Amino acid sequence: NIKDIINPTPNKNIKSKSNSTCNFNRKYSTLNLKLNQINPKKSPLNLNSKIQFLNWLTGFTDAEGYFGISIFRKNEVAFRYVIYLNLDDLNLLKYIKLELSSLFGEEVGKIKISTEKHRASLSIFKFNAIRHLIIPIFNRFTLRTSKYLDFKDWEKAIYLKDRYAATYLPETTLFEILKLKKGMNSNRTLIDDNLLSSEPINPDWFQGFCEGGASFFVKVSNLQPVFSITEHNKNIKILKLISQFCLDLPLNLPETIVSTKNDFNLNDLSLKNITSNHIQIFETKSNLAIFRNDLIFYKILPFFEKQEFLSRKNIDFQIWSILAKLRFLGYSNKKNSKVLMSSLARSMKDPRDFQTYDTYAILINDLNSIIKSQPIILKTGLTITNDLNIQNKNNNIKNDLKK
């Protein structure tokens, strides 16, 4: 029911944090769809109306999506496009469902919840929606990992089925579909990189991919911030393209950071010896890890601060960004702030639920007190100007859905 998606029953167990440092009141809304915008009369699919969202969705699908084929009763075939997420991101699935329903002109997809496994999924399985919504989207917005090859085989199988109006398929057609199915997803171990796109990374695709497949973490031992992506070895090409994308990002200052020197110029900075990022190749997996402090501070941090997070990973990023700024400025070398930073870093390993936000607020308030009483100004004049805090300025889908 679309009304239930827009106005779900509020969770009485979730307490408001609007009066604490962890402020989750949103400044503006991305969930601006209304019930009457989902046109009951179908109109031609207008993909241009949601370019930013569809680029994001393509990246998110590369990280978290699944193209499935099921064969049952010997000669019946069903297809589905599925996104599986942690239950914490249930409202993100509702958001995706609503956006796709708005685009298609009717409600599409079904959300399933497993409280036992703490998982949720959005599944689109109606043949009409697959044929006339999902396929056009991913033919226009190209997947960048091996999911692209899975999608193309999935599409071939759908067109094979589409030849026949009957429920039951001829054995020859069924055999062709079964052959495609056996080469997809986890069964696809080796690929020709030339089959995947070499086009530059789209920023919205990158944001979606990182929300599903990237990790923002801090080593507790030395408070080193790390931006990391791990993929199967068959997807090493996308790791190399992402590495280059990060290197090519423009130089910027993170939020709350300014220089006290009038002649400070970002163009005068020289990030020495950054020609590539560290990609480790293991038996089946490859890992891209970025841990250069200057690259994180001047490029990675400013990029993500300007992007829009739709998942709960937004909270991970904001804690990570606070610790990255403090470490770059040297607060990890002060005993009192180092203790607080270590506690904040350890808290990132806790389950992401609302019970931990008060802990974040207390630690960050204490850090703000230290910053005010013991300010650090680097030789370049860089220093923190405003209080550090955690805001869900780009992600309060929960509150949007309650409106």
Side-chain angles (χ1 to χ4, degrees), residues 324-340:
K325 291 172 186 177
L326 293 176
R327 190 180 193 277
F328 187 86
L329 292 174
Y331 283 95
S332 57
N333 297 323
K334 289 180 173 290
K335 186 177 180 180
N336 50 359
S337 52
K338 182 178 180 179
V339 171
L340 294 171

Side-chain angles (χ1 to χ4, degrees), residues 378-396:
L378 300 183
K379 291 181 179 179
T380 53
L382 293 180
T383 189
I384 297 177
T385 57
N386 299 314
D387 281 353
L388 299 169
N389 56 47
I390 299 177
Q391 294 182 359
N392 222 5
K393 63 181 181 179
N394 291 332
N395 174 33
N396 210 349

Side-chain angles (χ1 to χ4, degrees), residues 91-342:
N91 283 313
L92 176 54
L93 293 179
K94 293 179 180 180
Y95 175 78
I96 294 170
K97 173 180 166 68
L98 188 59
E99 288 279 7
L100 292 176
S101 297
S102 171
L103 183 65
F104 195 49
E106 65 183 59
E107 185 178 355
V108 297
K110 182 176 181 179
I111 292 176
K112 292 184 178 181
I113 297 172
S114 172
T115 52
E116 182 181 343
K117 296 181 179 179
H118 203 70
R119 301 283 289 173
S121 66
L122 168 64
S123 179
I124 296 175
F125 48 83
K126 289 186 178 179
F127 195 75
N128 186 52
I130 287 173
R131 180 71 177 78
H132 299 290
L133 174 67
I134 302 303
I135 287 179
I137 286 174
F138 294 116
N139 272 327
R140 167 79 180 275
F141 299 87
T142 306
L143 294 154
R144 305 300 303 269
T145 68
S146 60
K147 294 277 174 67
Y148 168 77
L149 302 178
D150 293 334
F151 165 71
K152 298 310 287 185
D153 283 349
W154 189 71
E155 181 186 29
K156 288 176 189 175
I158 288 167
Y159 284 132
L160 285 170
K161 176 181 169 60
D162 204 25
R163 294 178 187 173
Y164 301 94
T167 302
Y168 300 100
L169 299 176
E171 282 191 14
T172 52
T173 302
L174 194 65
F175 178 79
E176 290 181 68
I177 292 175
L178 183 60
K179 185 178 179 181
L180 290 167
K181 172 183 167 65
K182 287 183 176 179
M184 291 172 57
N185 300 314
S186 60
N187 293 325
R188 190 188 304 277
T189 55
L190 296 174
I191 62 174
D192 180 357
D193 280 354
N194 293 321
L195 298 174
L196 301 179
S197 173
S198 298
E199 291 295 312
I201 297 293
N202 175 281
D204 295 315
W205 175 94
F206 182 57
Q207 178 69 22
F209 185 73
C210 288
E211 291 206 56
S215 175
F216 301 97
F217 69 93
V218 176
K219 295 180 180 179
V220 177
S221 59
N222 61 358
L223 295 174
Q224 172 65 57
V226 181
F227 172 66
S228 173
I229 299 174
T230 299
E231 279 289 321
H232 191 280
N233 285 339
K234 62 187 175 183
N235 288 320
I236 193 168
K237 180 175 182 176
I238 197 62
L239 292 183
K240 293 176 180 178
L241 289 170
I242 289 173
S243 174
Q244 192 58 51
F245 174 83
C246 292
L247 292 172
D248 292 341
L249 287 171
L251 292 169
N252 279 299
L253 286 180
E255 293 177 0
T256 73
I257 303 295
V258 299
S259 177
T260 57
K261 292 188 175 181
N262 294 329
D263 60 349
F264 176 80
N265 189 339
L266 276 170
N267 295 324
D268 293 337
L269 295 173
S270 176
L271 304 191
K272 297 179 180 179
N273 302 321
I274 301 184
T275 57
S276 64
N277 287 311
H278 192 45
I279 297 178
Q280 284 185 295
I281 302 175
F282 303 100
E283 185 176 352
T284 59
K285 303 277 187 178
S286 294
N287 174 259
L288 166 65
I290 298 177
F291 43 81
R292 278 283 300 257
N293 290 326
D294 46 4
L295 181 56
I296 287 174
F297 188 82
Y298 291 114
K299 293 195 173 191
I300 305 297
L301 261 175
F303 171 81
F304 282 111
E305 285 181 333
K306 289 180 174 63
Q307 291 297 110
E308 182 176 22
F309 278 87
L310 297 178
S311 73
R312 296 278 312 274
K313 191 165 286 188
N314 180 36
I315 306 305
D316 295 341
F317 167 72
Q318 289 192 71
I319 297 171
W320 181 84
S321 69
I322 287 173
L323 292 171
K325 291 172 186 177
L326 293 176
R327 190 180 193 277
F328 187 86
L329 292 174
Y331 283 95
S332 57
N333 297 323
K334 289 180 173 290
K335 186 177 180 180
N336 50 359
S337 52
K338 182 178 180 179
V339 171
L340 294 171
M341 290 171 66
S342 297

